[in-house]
Amino acid sequence: MKELQTNNSDHSHRQIGLLAGAGRFPIVFAEQARQQGYSVCCLGIFGMASEELTEVCDIFHWIPLARIGRAIKLFQREDVNRIVMAGKIEKTVLFSPFRILKLLPDLRTLHMWYRYAKKDRKDDTLLLAVIKEFERDNIFFDSALDFCPELLVKHGFLTKRRPSHSQWEDIKMGWDIAKQMGQLDIGQSIVINDKAVIAVEAIEGTDRAIQRAGQLCKRGGFTVVKVAKPQQDRRFDVPTVGIKTLQTMHEAGGRVLAIESNQTIMIDQKEVADLADKLGIAIVSLNEEELTLQLAS
C-alpha cells in the first residue's frame, strides 16, 4: 500500500485538505472539489478510508487514527491550511481493550484528548477537540457541503411508495425523540414500530442500530427516522444515508426511511431512490412543519 501518491504536479491553483473516513462521501467531495479547480490533499484514515481516494485526489497519504501530530505536519508540508472532514469515523475502537497499544497516539493526540475532550467523550466533544487541536497550528476546518451542497436532500417524496397513516404517526414520534437525542448528542437515528421505540442509535452507527432493530422486531415493517442535531455543526457529522442504508433496512425488515430535508446528505440520490422503489421502501424528506401538516391532513 503506497504512502504517498501524486496525481497532479500543478499546485498553482487553490488547495483544500481532506481528512477522510469511511464511505463514499469523501470520494464525492474530492471529485466535486477538483471539478471546481481545487487541488485536493487527502489524509485517509487507515483501515477506514477507501483506496479509491488514491485515484481521485491530487495528493494522498494514509494516516493512523490517533496521529494528529503527523496529520498536521503532512498538511503543513503541502502548504494546506483549509481542510474538510468527510466520511464515517469508527469510534468503537476508542473503547476496545488495550486501546493505547492499538492506537499508539502521538503527543498531539494525547494533548487533544486530555485538554479539549476531558469533560466527556460525546461525538461533538471529540470532533470539536480535533478541530481545536488543528487550529493551534492555523489549520482551519470548513464544511464539505460548501463544495457540494447538492448532496443535501430537498423536501418531498423520493419514492413511489408513501408512508401509511400509522407510519406517519411513527415518523412523528421518532422525530420528536430523535431531536431530543440529538440535543443530548447521543445519536441521530431511531427505529420505531407501532409507536414503540425498537432501537436507538448511539456509538455503533445507523446501520448497526437498524440491524439490531431487525433482531428485536422479527415481523419487520418498522420505520427509521434520521435527523440533524438541533445544534448541528456542518463541519462534521452531518446525517448521511445511501445505498448501504437501504440494503441494511431491507435485510432487517425496514419499510420507511424518514430524513430531515436540507439537513441530510444522500450519496447517489437517483440510485438510492431507484433501489428503494425496487425494494418497496418509502423514503420521505421533510421538516418539522411539513410533518405537522401531514398529520393534520
Side-chain angles (χ1 to χ4, degrees), residues 49-60:
S50 170
E51 291 201 30
E52 190 176 342
L53 287 163
T54 64
E55 303 299 328
V56 299
C57 296
D58 297 277
I59 297 172
F60 183 86

Side-chain angles (χ1 to χ4, degrees), residues 34-201:
R34 294 185 77 190
Q35 288 176 15
Q36 294 170 33
Y38 287 86
S39 172
V40 179
C41 174
C42 177
L43 304 187
I45 305 298
F46 187 79
M48 299 183 193
S50 170
E51 291 201 30
E52 190 176 342
L53 287 163
T54 64
E55 303 299 328
V56 299
C57 296
D58 297 277
I59 297 172
F60 183 86
H61 301 267
W62 288 107
I63 188 83
L65 177 63
R67 303 293 175 84
I68 291 177
R70 175 162 173 75
I72 289 171
K73 289 179 180 178
L74 286 171
F75 280 134
Q76 288 176 328
R77 191 172 83 185
E78 302 297 342
D79 198 27
V80 172
N81 57 19
R82 306 298 307 191
I83 62 178
V84 304
M85 194 184 302
K88 180 177 176 57
I89 303 297
E90 180 57 68
K91 292 178 283 293
T92 53
V93 66
L94 299 176
F95 301 94
S96 62
F98 310 109
R99 64 184 181 185
I100 296 296
L101 294 177
K102 290 181 179 179
L103 295 173
L104 294 176
D106 59 19
L107 290 177
R108 294 299 295 270
T109 304
L110 291 172
H111 179 272
M112 176 277 294
W113 187 262
Y114 291 107
R115 172 71 185 277
Y116 301 122
K118 189 175 181 180
K119 180 181 70 170
D120 58 57
R121 306 292 191 250
K122 294 179 180 179
D123 284 358
D124 284 7
T125 302
L126 290 175
L127 293 170
L128 283 170
V130 171
I131 288 174
K132 289 177 182 177
E133 194 64 35
F134 275 85
E135 286 179 346
R136 292 179 64 209
D137 286 82
N138 296 313
I139 298 175
F140 301 95
F141 280 81
D142 295 319
S143 171
L145 290 169
D146 293 340
F147 299 83
C148 40
E150 70 280 357
L151 293 181
L152 289 175
V153 184
K154 306 301 182 193
H155 75 276
F157 296 101
L158 278 67
T159 53
K160 297 173 183 176
R161 184 175 179 275
R162 300 190 178 189
S164 65
H165 179 72
S166 63
Q167 288 168 337
W168 276 115
E169 292 182 332
D170 283 348
I171 291 172
K172 178 63 169 70
M173 179 180 174
W175 185 286
D176 293 340
I177 297 173
K179 282 295 183 182
Q180 294 179 55
M181 287 166 43
Q183 187 70 52
L184 296 170
D185 195 16
I186 295 172
Q188 299 168 321
S189 304
I190 190 162
V191 183
I192 302 285
N193 186 250
D194 196 21
K195 295 184 179 179
V197 176
I198 306 300
V200 173
E201 176 196 4

Side-chain angles (χ1 to χ4, degrees), residues 229-283:
K229 300 172 184 176
Q231 71 281 12
Q232 188 70 57
D233 188 329
R234 286 193 173 184
R235 291 176 297 175
F236 58 81
D237 207 22
V238 177
T240 304
V241 296
I243 293 289
K244 188 177 179 183
T245 310
L246 282 189
Q247 291 172 334
T248 304
M249 284 185 63
H250 177 65
E251 291 168 3
R255 295 302 304 278
V256 178
L257 174 62
I259 54 180
E260 186 167 3
S261 59
N262 298 306
Q263 297 288 342
T264 306
I265 295 169
M266 182 176 285
I267 308 297
D268 305 318
Q269 292 188 26
K270 185 180 184 305
E271 290 82 353
V272 170
D274 289 345
L275 178 61
D277 281 332
K278 181 179 178 182
L279 298 177
I281 295 174
I283 305 179

